[in-house]
Amino acid sequence: GQNIDQPTEMTATEGAIVQINCTYQTSGFNGLFWYQQHAGEAPTFLSYNVLDGLEEKGRFSSFLSRSKGYSYLLLKELQMKDSASYLCAVRNTDKLIFGTGTRLQVFP
Amino acid sequence: DTGVSQNPRHKITKRGQNVTFRCDPISEHNRLYWYRQTLGQGPEFLTYFQNEAQLEKSRLLSDRFSAERPKGSFSTLEIQRTEQGDSAMYLCASSLVSKEYEQYFGPGTRLTVT
């Protein structure tokens, strides 16, 4: 079966740091993705991890532990525009299997 | 703009009618994917093409759904005899085979079945 779990909602304050966790159990694994999706818009690519460890890209970092079936997305120096849904997705062969997404609200 | 485009952006139809959506991928992208997203959920994989060949189709996709990519460029997704449960956002994404981990999504077609 395919199971990807992430928290439904999170809140944080502007300027703070937030960590969004994702755990997965899938029949295949070819990498883990994080996408950002603003309401009514298409998902936009944030990060991709295929090997264990931390990938840093500006204010966003993503971590992967394949043995634990675990990833997190770290957002630093939060801005109001970071209020969005964050989707964790596992690449299984050539398709993406998405979690339900974490809706992040950033407050001033 | 050279991103993925989808038409129409919105479609309202009555139950039982047929609808067709179009996706134009980023030029040179030889892979094209269709996903469906309902409110509060992540996108669900429906099917994908490499050039004109349909390589995989989800078991979620009933016989009422069909997708084509006749010349390996744009793709169409047709839903026959629509049902209210088909109401969703239909997303298209494209990628290069050499960079299949970079899927770029289009803005989606929002279907409402009344």
Side-chain angles (χ1 to χ4, degrees):
Chain A
Q2 321 281 21
N3 197 37
I4 299 175
D5 287 319
Q6 40 180 145
T8 306
E9 289 192 1
M10 297 183 72
T11 60
T13 306
E14 196 174 15
I17 299 173
V18 71
Q19 177 174 312
I20 303 174
N21 296 323
C22 171
T23 57
Y24 64 90
Q25 287 179 304
T26 56
S27 57
F29 181 86
N30 298 104
L32 189 136
F33 294 76
W34 285 95
Y35 281 82
Q36 181 190 61
Q37 187 176 30
H38 285 99
E41 297 182 12
T44 54
F45 172 80
L46 289 178
S47 70
Y48 169 63
N49 295 68
V50 65
L51 299 175
D52 291 353
L54 189 68
E55 293 281 342
E56 296 186 80
K57 192 186 285 187
R59 293 190 299 115
F60 293 8
S61 303
S62 57
F63 172 83
L64 175 66
S65 169
R66 289 172 296 169
S67 62
K68 295 182 180 177
Y70 169 69
S71 173
Y72 67 73
L73 179 70
L74 193 70
L75 293 79
K76 302 175 186 174
E77 301 168 18
L78 280 173
Q79 302 174 9
M80 297 297 292
K81 67 178 183 179
D82 296 330
S83 292
S85 286
Y86 291 85
L87 301 165
C88 173
V90 168
R91 183 167 162 243
N92 186 336
T93 59
D94 294 315
K95 62 182 179 286
L96 294 179
I97 302 167
F98 285 86
T100 55
T102 298
R103 186 180 167 198
L104 174 66
Q105 292 189 66
V106 180
F107 293 99
Chain B
D1 186 72
T2 57
V4 179
S5 62
Q6 293 186 244
N7 287 288
R9 296 292 308 277
H10 302 274
K11 178 71 177 179
I12 300 173
T13 191
K14 292 185 177 179
R15 191 174 52 192
Q17 297 294 305
N18 299 344
V19 293
T20 300
F21 310 140
R22 176 176 170 131
C23 171
D24 287 87
I26 294 171
S27 56
E28 302 114 39
H29 277 195
N30 34 26
R31 284 204 173 159
L32 187 149
Y33 306 79
W34 285 100
Y35 293 87
R36 177 173 63 190
Q37 186 175 25
T38 53
L39 200 62
Q41 301 295 314
E44 279 182 301
F45 170 79
L46 293 178
T47 188
Y48 89 99
F49 294 83
Q50 181 164 313
N51 300 312
E52 63 275 9
Q54 188 173 17
L55 296 188
E56 189 171 347
K57 192 174 171 180
S58 168
R59 283 173 285 180
L60 298 172
L61 217 59
S62 77
D63 293 342
R64 298 184 297 106
F65 288 70
S66 62
E68 292 183 342
R69 195 183 183 198
K71 297 182 180 178
S73 56
F74 73 91
S75 175
T76 57
L77 177 69
E78 181 184 16
I79 310 174
Q80 296 182 326
R81 304 181 303 282
T82 52
E83 301 172 356
Q84 286 188 323
D86 298 331
S87 296
M89 177 75 85
Y90 289 83
L91 293 164
C92 175
S94 70
S95 70
L96 285 168
V97 172
S98 58
K99 291 186 178 180
E100 65 271 19
Y101 52 85
E102 289 184 9
Q103 289 190 20
Y104 294 89
F105 282 83
T109 294
R110 180 167 294 285
L111 173 66
T112 302
V113 182
T114 61

